[in-house]
Amino acid sequence: MPVVVAKLYVEYRDDAYWVRDTRISLDSVVYAFQSGQSPESIVQSFPLLRLEQVYGAIAFYLANRADIDAYLAAEEIAFDTMPQPLQAIDPALYNKLMAAKAARKAV
């Protein structure tokens, strides 16, 4: 009988968490999961991911929830303090994006 080796679905590189061997951030999967999307729906949103990868990323998040939630909060703070050139270039688009962000937080 062959020995089954555990797979890794998330990696830390470039100061961020990523679905392994992709350019899709763990943040994207976690936010979709937190908003109530099913793994199947997440795959539809990110067609480069396989269902197995989405389940693996969700399992990683759930196993490390406190640390990943702290990481996500720190990323949001860093983003909020970053200068936003879009605010000066296209205030209407900037306001629309900020409204969408506020709506996501309200959920």
Side-chain angles (χ1 to χ4, degrees):
M1 176 175 355
V3 175
V4 177
V5 178
K7 292 183 180 180
L8 298 176
Y9 294 99
V10 175
E11 61 186 346
Y12 188 79
R13 68 175 191 273
D14 302 325
D15 297 324
Y17 290 95
W18 303 91
V19 176
R20 188 177 178 94
D21 299 327
T22 73
R23 294 187 302 168
I24 300 171
S25 69
L26 177 64
D27 308 30
S28 300
V29 175
V30 169
Y31 285 132
F33 175 70
Q34 288 176 335
S35 74
Q37 290 187 32
S38 69
E40 292 78 9
S41 177
I42 295 170
V43 168
Q44 289 178 347
S45 298
F46 299 96
L48 294 176
L49 293 179
R50 297 182 323 276
L51 187 58
E52 174 186 347
Q53 290 172 303
V54 172
Y55 274 106
I58 292 169
F60 176 87
Y61 166 65
L62 293 174
N64 301 283
R65 188 176 218 153
D67 292 329
I68 298 303
D69 284 345
Y71 159 78
L72 294 174
E75 288 293 308
E76 284 191 30
I77 290 168
F79 178 80
D80 289 342
T81 59
M82 197 183 324
Q84 300 296 324
L86 184 61
Q87 187 174 11
I89 296 169
D90 190 343
L93 177 59
Y94 176 81
N95 291 334
K96 184 177 178 180
L97 292 171
M98 290 301 104
K101 182 179 178 184
R104 186 186 80 214
K105 281 187 176 182
V107 172

